[in-house]
């Protein structure tokens, strides 16, 4: 650990690894790159970009992030075997700063029932793997999975052994979210007091939120010697999720006098990053979510509003602008120019290059023709969705719906294919959305199993945009499609077709790989 840097808490973001493992949160390569870019702008120290041995898609995503994102350390996860470690290294080795993260479970329940390995065997496997990883990369993190349920003396033995083998960060996971703050704090104090060489490495906390204690446990850990917190944007992750990055970072910043610590995170990027992850995953934050929820800075009660008018600090412990919330009721409309649009996009915390800005501005103009007032959430939706439904090969040319009470709805749909042909189908269904999905399947000849259908109003008013997220299964694999439009049936059609397009593109690319001619 750097001398003189003992008050800095390293922020290790695992949105793209532990977060992405959560049901319904899987992301495409482009989505992962978009999230990785926003994490870089947030100035996190480490991005755990994935688990390269898990699948070829994971490997490619970690490699693409390592090759294109400069600034944070890029980390790949590996189990304790050479094959996993080789995959992780091959994926991250292009990064300016690379890390391999090796893990094995150490608790009795995992030793007996999952691994069927004795204590000594686990230590040997951990040491051999850390030493092997160290022969490839200087920066090695080791995690004893389920550490919080591991016997303390055995945990200390494992930690001491991996430090000797070359680990530079040792991460203590509360894998099943079982710990409570006092107890978790004691684990760190025990390791600090009993492990030879512990002062040479960085201790880290990795907490899950099964009891709603992930942030509290992470803060207890930093008060007892941890100088890295592992977290995810919006707290997404397995089951109840991981420690929420925005909450732990703002607790350290807002209560500086309590912790005496700091992070390098640019907190003004928290809100935009949260919106990007919510949009990409379709996992929207509850309105009352700390820091980034819609109500986090809303004051409704008259007595609060009165106090706020006298002095904001009466009821506000953080300033909305410090977390990047620059909500405004400034409404843009169809007469707003490119300059005003660009300014608002920047105030909302998005960084777009010229070509992205041009595409978004065009989309904004189309939307402004259909919608009287454009709110911030409309602009965010334009940015997040500007290319959705345009990647093909199928594009919607025309969709007509006939629906009424007491009879089946009818959809007449025309799709154009990138190969130059077009097809029209009529289909019936219980409602307009079901009829549209039937028509899409009839034309594309791809049948999906709809698992979940969610509609959300992006803004208010009778011309508000509707955001549709569909989760479907195809050949046992889960896919998510997402679109926004002023017409909910159109959003649903674009979201459904987005999934079909992804499947067809994947089928075409595997045909090209297997059969180059
Ligand atoms: O929760 C956990 O134990 C993990 C490890 C792989 C660090 O995610
Ligand atoms: Zn985890």
């Amino acid at each position: 650990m750097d001398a003189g840097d003992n008050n800095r808490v390293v922020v290790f973001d695992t949105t793209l690894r532990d977060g992405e493992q959560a049901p319904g949160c899987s992301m495409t390569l482009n989505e992962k790159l978009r999230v990785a870019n926003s994490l870089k702008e947030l100035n996190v120290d480490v991005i755990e970009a994935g688990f390269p041995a898990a699948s070829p898609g994971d490997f490619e995503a970690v490699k693409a992030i390592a090759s294109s994102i400069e600034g944070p350390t890029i980390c790949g996860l590996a189990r304790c075997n050479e094959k996993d470690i080789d995959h992780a290294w091959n994926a991250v080795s292009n990064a300016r700063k690379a890390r391999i993260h090796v893990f094995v479970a150490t608790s009795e329940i995992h030793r007996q029932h999952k691994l069927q390995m004795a204590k000594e065997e686990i230590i040997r496997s951990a040491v051999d793997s850390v030493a092997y990883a160290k022969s490839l990369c200087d920066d090695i993190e080791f995690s004893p999975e389920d550490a919080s349920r591991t016997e303390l003396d055995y945990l200390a033995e494992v930690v001491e052994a991996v430090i000797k083998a070359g680990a530079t960060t040792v991460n203590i996971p509360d894998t099943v979210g079982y710990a409570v703050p006092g107890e978790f704090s004691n684990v760190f104090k025990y390791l600090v007091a009993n492990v030879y060489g512990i002062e040479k490495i960085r201790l880290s906390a990795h907490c899950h939120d099964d009891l709603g204690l992930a942030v509290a446990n992470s803060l207890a850990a930093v008060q007892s010697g941890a100088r890295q917190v592992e977290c995810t944007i919006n707290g997404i992750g397995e089951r109840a999720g991981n420690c929420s990055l925005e909450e732990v970072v703002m607790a350290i910043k807002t209560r500086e006098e309590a912790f005496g610590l700091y992070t390098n995170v640019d907190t003004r990027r928290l809100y935009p990053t949260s919106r990007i992850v919510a949009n990409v995953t379709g996992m929207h934050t509850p309105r009352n979510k700390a820091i980034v929820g819609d109500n986090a800075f809303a004051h409704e009660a008259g007595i609060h509003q009165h106090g706020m008018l006298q002095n904001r600090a009466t009821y506000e412990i953080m300033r909305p602008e410090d977390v990047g919330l620059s909500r405004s009721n400034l409404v843009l409309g169809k007469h707003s120019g490119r300059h005003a649009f660009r300014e608002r996009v920047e105030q909302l915390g998005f960084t777009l290059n010229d070509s992205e800005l041009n595409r978004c501005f065009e989309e904004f103009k189309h939307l402004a023709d259909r919608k009287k007032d454009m709110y911030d959430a409309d602009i965010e939706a334009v940015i997040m969705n500007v290319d959705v439904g345009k990647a093909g090969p199928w594009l919607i040319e025309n969709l007509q719906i006939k629906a009424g009470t007491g009879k089946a709805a009818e959809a007449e749909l025309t799709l154009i294919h990138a190969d130059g042909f077009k097809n029209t189908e009529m289909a019936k269904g219980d409602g307009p959305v079901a009829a549209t999905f039937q028509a899409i399947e009839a034309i594309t000849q791809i049948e999906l199993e709809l698992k979940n259908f969610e509609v959300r109003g992006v803004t208010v008013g009778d011309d508000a945009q509707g955001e549709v997220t569909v989760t479907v299964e195809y050949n046992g694999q889960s896919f998510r499609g997402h679109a926004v439009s002023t017409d909910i049936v159109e959003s649903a059609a674009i979201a459904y077709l987005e999934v079909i397009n992804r499947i067809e593109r994947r089928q075409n690319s595997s045909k090209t790989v297997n059969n180059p001619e």
Side-chain angles (χ1 to χ4, degrees):
M1 186 159 55
D2 310 340
D5 200 13
N6 201 31
N7 293 339
R8 179 160 80 89
V9 177
V10 165
V11 174
F12 175 110
D13 180 276
T14 184
T15 306
L16 293 169
R17 200 277 297 168
D18 226 355
E20 209 239 356
Q21 263 168 242
C25 282
S26 61
M27 303 175 211
T28 63
L29 175 61
N30 277 342
E31 289 170 339
K32 286 183 185 178
L33 281 166
R34 182 170 226 167
V35 170
N37 252 307
S38 63
L39 292 171
K40 170 194 145 168
E41 296 203 357
L42 184 61
N43 209 27
V44 302
D45 300 286
V46 185
I47 296 177
E48 185 164 54
F51 186 176
S55 71
D58 260 52
F59 178 87
E60 287 310 329
V62 178
K63 195 168 173 145
I65 291 168
S67 312
S68 63
I69 304 290
E70 271 180 33
T73 296
I74 308 298
C75 174
L77 183 69
R79 284 164 297 199
C80 277
N81 65 64
E82 290 194 2
K83 201 164 149 246
D84 265 35
I85 296 168
D86 285 339
H87 268 99
W89 176 238
N90 291 335
V92 298
S93 57
N94 280 345
R96 288 261 173 99
K97 293 183 270 172
R99 176 179 293 186
I100 302 176
H101 178 185
V102 182
F103 77 100
V104 65
T106 51
S107 63
E108 190 187 3
I109 189 162
H110 280 238
R111 290 194 310 262
Q112 272 192 14
H113 299 282
K114 186 176 88 173
L115 301 172
Q116 280 124 14
M117 281 165 83
K119 284 180 170 177
E120 306 68 43
E121 273 182 282
I122 287 176
I123 297 195
R124 215 173 315 123
S125 159
V127 165
D128 289 350
S129 301
V130 167
Y132 180 64
K134 190 76 178 182
S135 71
L136 305 169
C137 176
D138 282 340
D139 186 348
I140 303 299
E141 173 164 332
F142 174 78
S143 289
E145 189 188 3
D146 206 17
S148 56
R149 294 193 298 170
T150 300
E151 306 88 320
L152 274 179
D153 54 346
Y154 177 58
L155 184 65
E157 227 184 293
V158 176
V159 171
E160 193 165 304
V162 295
I163 293 174
K164 262 196 215 128
T168 40
T169 296
V170 174
N171 177 45
I172 304 299
D174 180 27
T175 303
V176 290
Y178 183 72
V180 294
E183 179 186 66
F184 200 52
S185 155
N186 283 339
V187 175
F188 285 82
K189 287 184 185 149
Y190 183 90
L191 294 175
V192 169
N194 292 286
V195 172
Y196 179 78
I198 196 107
E199 70 291 345
K200 288 191 296 200
I201 57 106
R202 191 175 287 276
L203 267 175
S204 165
H206 176 111
C207 298
H208 281 265
D209 208 30
D210 300 67
L211 292 173
L213 291 171
V215 173
N217 285 334
S218 304
L219 292 171
V222 298
Q223 285 184 307
S224 305
R227 286 296 177 270
Q228 173 175 287
V229 283
E230 301 204 349
C231 37
T232 60
I233 300 295
N234 300 335
I236 64 168
E238 293 266 31
R239 309 179 308 279
N242 286 56
C243 171
S244 139
L245 183 148
E246 54 281 1
E247 291 178 24
V248 78
V249 163
M250 285 313 288
I252 291 172
K253 183 180 163 93
T254 308
R255 300 303 312 278
E256 202 197 332
E257 82 296 351
F259 294 103
L261 301 168
Y262 69 97
T263 73
N264 275 350
V265 164
D266 177 356
T267 62
R268 290 161 309 167
R269 302 284 320 171
L270 287 172
Y271 186 75
T273 310
S274 160
R275 301 293 289 201
I276 287 169
V277 170
N279 274 297
V280 157
T281 58
M283 287 266 275
H284 292 284
T285 52
R287 297 182 77 81
N288 65 340
K289 164 92 172 66
I291 318 296
V292 292
D294 284 351
N295 286 357
F297 292 91
H299 300 272
E300 186 80 25
I303 189 166
H304 289 199
Q305 288 174 347
H306 176 71
M308 290 278 292
L309 289 173
Q310 310 302 315
N311 180 342
R312 296 189 73 84
T314 50
Y315 285 100
E316 212 165 70
I317 60 164
M318 296 165 275
R319 295 182 314 162
E321 52 274 31
D322 289 344
V323 304
L325 188 74
S326 68
R327 304 270 89 187
S328 107
N329 286 328
L330 169 81
V331 178
L332 297 181
K334 67 176 172 185
H335 300 299
S336 305
R338 188 183 301 265
H339 184 72
F341 180 72
R342 178 193 284 275
E343 219 165 69
R344 196 71 205 124
V345 165
E346 283 169 6
Q347 281 162 2
L348 288 172
F350 292 95
T351 315
L352 303 181
N353 62 32
D354 283 347
S355 115
E356 286 165 340
L357 189 97
N358 287 343
R359 293 204 304 280
C360 289
F361 184 64
E362 231 172 81
E363 204 61 35
F364 163 80
K365 283 292 191 188
H366 282 139
L367 182 59
D369 275 339
R370 293 159 82 174
K371 204 174 174 303
K372 224 169 43 243
D373 298 324
M374 299 279 279
Y375 296 95
D376 288 342
D378 290 314
I379 296 171
E380 279 170 5
V382 164
I383 296 166
M384 299 308 303
N385 288 281
V386 71
D387 293 323
V388 171
K390 305 227 169 102
W394 294 103
L395 294 179
I396 297 175
E397 188 186 69
N398 189 30
L399 173 62
Q400 301 293 329
I401 299 289
K402 246 199 266 163
T405 44
K407 55 181 179 146
E410 280 175 26
E412 183 181 338
L413 175 72
T414 304
L415 297 182
I416 315 181
H417 194 274
D419 286 350
F421 57 91
K422 66 164 116 168
N423 249 328
T424 300
E425 281 287 343
M426 305 254 282
K428 286 189 177 174
D430 284 345
V433 171
T436 304
F437 288 177
Q438 290 283 342
I440 292 177
E441 291 186 349
I443 295 176
T444 61
Q445 298 289 299
I446 293 182
E447 247 177 71
L448 306 178
E449 195 181 335
L450 185 64
K451 291 287 176 191
N452 194 33
F453 180 86
E454 272 174 53
V455 187
R456 198 179 73 102
V458 170
T459 49
V460 290
D462 52 15
D463 62 354
Q465 296 199 85
E467 175 179 9
V468 171
T469 306
V470 293
T471 310
V472 300
E473 253 181 43
Y474 179 72
N475 280 350
Q477 240 194 306
S478 173
F479 292 85
R480 198 172 14 78
H482 172 255
V484 179
S485 162
T486 46
D487 175 342
I488 290 170
V489 182
E490 186 180 83
S491 301
I494 298 171
Y496 208 69
L497 198 57
E498 189 204 339
V499 173
I500 289 187
N501 277 332
R502 227 184 297 149
I503 292 169
E504 195 169 318
R505 286 200 299 272
R506 196 181 280 187
Q507 285 169 347
N508 290 342
S509 72
S510 67
K511 264 187 229 151
T512 328
V513 171
N514 296 334
N515 179 13
E517 59 286 340

